[in-house]
Amino acid sequence: MRFFRYFLSSFLLFYITSFAQAQTLNCTNVDTYLKLLANSHFSLTESTLKTLEKNAAISLLEDTAAQQTLQNTGGTYKAICEAFVRLSGISNPQNSFYEKFLTKTLDEVDPHTNFFDEPEAKKFSDSLQGEFEGLGITFKAQGENGHGPFRIYAVIPGSPAAIRGLQVDDLILKMNEQNTSDLTREEFHKMIQDQKGSFSLTVQRGDLTLSILCHKERFSNPSVSYYFLHTQGLAYIKINMFTLTTGEELEGVIQFLQNIYEDDLKGILLDLRENLGGNLSAAIKVADIFIDRGPLVYAYNKNNELSNTFEARGVGVTTSAPLLILTNNFSASASEVVTGALQDYGRAFVVGKPSFGKGTILGFWPLENTTPNYHGAITFTTSAFFRPSGQTVQWNGVTPDLEIEDPQITKPVYERDHPKALHLDPIPREFNAPYAFRQTAKTIASAFSFRNNYSNFENSDIQLTKATDLLKRIALIPEEPSHFGPPFYYAHPSHRLHMNTDLYEPESKLVAKFSFKVRKKMGKKKSSPIQEETLYETFGFVTGNELTLSLQNTPVETYVTNYQNYGSVILEVTIQKKTKANPEIQTFTYKTFVLFDPL
């Protein structure tokens, strides 16, 4: 069940404590760590922890007589540790000996109480700062039963993947000489994690098969990404993880969208799938953006006492725009704080699958506070959190208002699947939802029928497609099949546009027209009408599913370069298609905003 070790992203309470100092790990350190753990853990007692410590030591001994001797050993945590060292026969144990012992002990407490050696602790701490080491792609399985090949559906800007030229919609066929069709999504992810040094990925891009040399590096990853779902005021926002800057990032995104849409934001789809959680204060700031004031989370300690109430402080950047939240079984912890609170308030309508079900708060203890020159860490459950209504997400998660299946996830994993998961009862409170949107959306959804026809592009993420269609219905925008992915504008190293389509097929002829436009207000008043003005037009043949357009030495490059800020232009794509089987011309159009950052 080591999988649960990586549902780390939770709420962090940093303990800065002073104890007797030592230079390397030893039984004195073990005694200090376990004493603090027994005193601070949400449900742990000293006698229980001593039993777990002893059982861990016994399981690590191979000699039966030594195991029996240790079984009869009593006393302090330190005494048990010293007996274990003596019976192991190791005269001068190194840090790795104690790391293994502590890991084994803490793994038996609950799914989220863990010991981290120095590399793991650094990785965990970096992730909360938005710093990562890896390749920088997200992908979905295209084979049966969650197997490969794997299609890339996001490449983090500035990541090693972006630098090496991996692109959205690339189909990963091989890693080194290993066919990805033989791997599950989890196995492929682990292969990348375990890879040392350079490795090759064989990808299919349209009609081309490419071998791309890759390696993992450290890079920064903004926690919030977004694009436009429709020019009439719909936006998609993805929060990857709740880091220390997520609240500020999201507030900036919302304000930018309001500016683009002239304060007429008709709907937001907030995607919290695969968001394992993160920092509690960030989650509170995110929820605060969508409501005015009121309690968001109640925290209870090990004595079942209310220890803290976290409230919205009236930031309320957007309190009226329709809000859909998309979740799955990988939406955990801080994601469940945001989802549960906004659902209780009636501010959001939740779609997708039930969330992970982690309703506890973690403490993060950097061990360098007590053991100088040793930079490991311990996380442990300090308290439980409850929704504004008094319900708990522990065990059962947040139940969507409308379930949408995801065929990519065939065997979802939840907190309750762990044998040591805590079970909590709700603490009911009188709470009346101050917002009416959730009920309005329920009424609309109850009479809503999803389309029967979806394009290949839409089927690649059917949850997102169906959630988008529902948001369009709520915003009174027609639902239409889409054959295009969101466009990405790259100002560096050369000005180019990249987007994907599923319209190409062998023996077909596709001619595309690209029109770039800017919006100009015809007057100085806020109510002055807005007119679209053509900036640049060009034509080209489509020879694959990837559309890449060079915009160097065009009016678009000039406009972006002179803008000197984050901005957008309108893109209108018209594709005329005919095939050998169907010689009649079919016309497909797509209109959206293209975001750019000229810096």
Side-chain angles (χ1 to χ4, degrees), residues 4 354-357 394-397 413-422:
F4 286 83
S355 61
F356 180 68
Q394 180 66 19
W395 197 269
N396 292 319
V413 178
Y414 294 97
E415 170 89 351
R416 61 179 178 268
D417 296 327
H418 195 287
K420 297 188 180 298
L422 299 176

Side-chain angles (χ1 to χ4, degrees), residues 123 126 130-137 156 158-164 192-193 195-199 213-221:
K123 185 184 296 184
D126 286 347
E131 297 285 335
F132 298 89
E133 181 174 344
L135 191 56
I137 61 172
I156 297 172
S159 68
I163 293 170
R164 291 289 174 168
I192 295 176
Q193 278 190 322
Q195 182 67 43
K196 307 294 183 185
S198 298
F199 58 96
L213 186 66
C214 302
H215 62 273
K216 299 182 296 182
E217 293 179 358
R218 289 178 59 80
F219 63 95
S220 297
N221 179 20

